[in-house]
Amino acid sequence: MNQLQKEILELKKEKNAIILAHNYQTAEIQEIADFLGDSLELCLKASQIEDADLVVFCGVDFMAETAFILNPDKKILLPDLSAECPMAHMLPAEEVREYKRRYPDAAVVLYVNTMAEAKAEADILCTSANAQQVVESLPEEQILFGPDMNLASYVAQKVDKEIIPIPQEGYCYVHKMFQPTDIMVMREKYPDAELLVHPECNPELQELADQVLSTGGMVHYVASSPGKTFLIGTEVDMVTRLLRENPDKTIIPLLSEAICQNMKLHTLEKVKNSLLKEEYQVKVDPGIADRARMAVERMLSLSN
Ligand code: 13P
Ligand code: SF4
């Protein structure tokens, strides 16, 4: 631990705070987190916080909002308020309402990568770890699903229902960077490697992969697989965690340029500042939060 990390751990105790971090955070932030996980694991963890007064969320805006929705009486802090997920802003609430008017019989399943106002329009949320389970849990045969079109197409292949992507072209700019040629080059270099990709990748990438998994799914898969070499098709700092937890395995990013700049806005200095000044607080309008909470809790009930 460096000096700054030690200071953060001290401050965290003084303030009775906890630090939640997504798997795409840098190594130095991963090391000081109380809990590191994928979107579903972070939601579950946020739903179980009992004794902390402050929650510092090292992730993007929609994650901090969801933590607030689940903990409206606590201070939820983002160390850098501009850490937004561009995909989460691709489906405004009004557009969801418009689709609901056009498809009155459809259920609305929204990816957790949406802003609170859109979440308030959903019947249930999902993450990349449980999308198939969520859709299968619903009685409706027609599903409005958004905003990630690649996750929508992944789910459409797994279930026997009509999946209507909303909007038509929601995507993650990081996972869009991967090309089939990246796979060809890396497969040639590492012929024995297993290729794991995230469902936010394009369908042609998913077809070429050995496994399509959420980031939490990748953590469990690499830990339990007898395989020794893995190519990882998601944000590069996923590899940071996998290497730390599996020092005996060879784990290589499929593309080292696949960096989520938004996630990287958080730094140790900003985490310290966040704890010291108790900023930047993330809040959601109570009426919206109440409606969004129903959709979040309906999803979480499937994990219990
Ligand atoms: P998961 O960690 O839930 O797989 O999602 C990846 C992601 O892009 C979060 O924004
Ligand atoms: Fe959003 Fe993509 Fe970054 Fe995840 S990796 S936070 S989906 S921009």
Side-chain angles (χ1 to χ4, degrees), residues 22-24 37-40 60 62-63 85 111-113 127-129 172 175 198-200 213-216 234 263:
H22 185 265
N23 288 324
Y24 297 162
D38 71 7
S39 307
L40 179 60
V60 281
F62 74 82
M63 297 178 175
C85 167
Y111 196 19
V112 70
N113 298 41
T127 76
S128 59
C172 162
H175 291 89
H198 196 274
E200 287 176 15
L213 296 164
S214 72
T215 64
T234 190
M263 286 274 186

Side-chain angles (χ1 to χ4, degrees), residues 22 30 52-53 63 65 68 73 103 146 149 153 179 200 207 225 253 296:
H22 185 265
Q30 292 190 15
D53 297 316
M63 297 178 175
E65 273 194 353
F68 176 82
D73 302 328
Y103 297 93
M149 63 174 172
S153 113
Q179 297 299 325
E200 287 176 15
E207 269 166 38
S225 165
V296 182

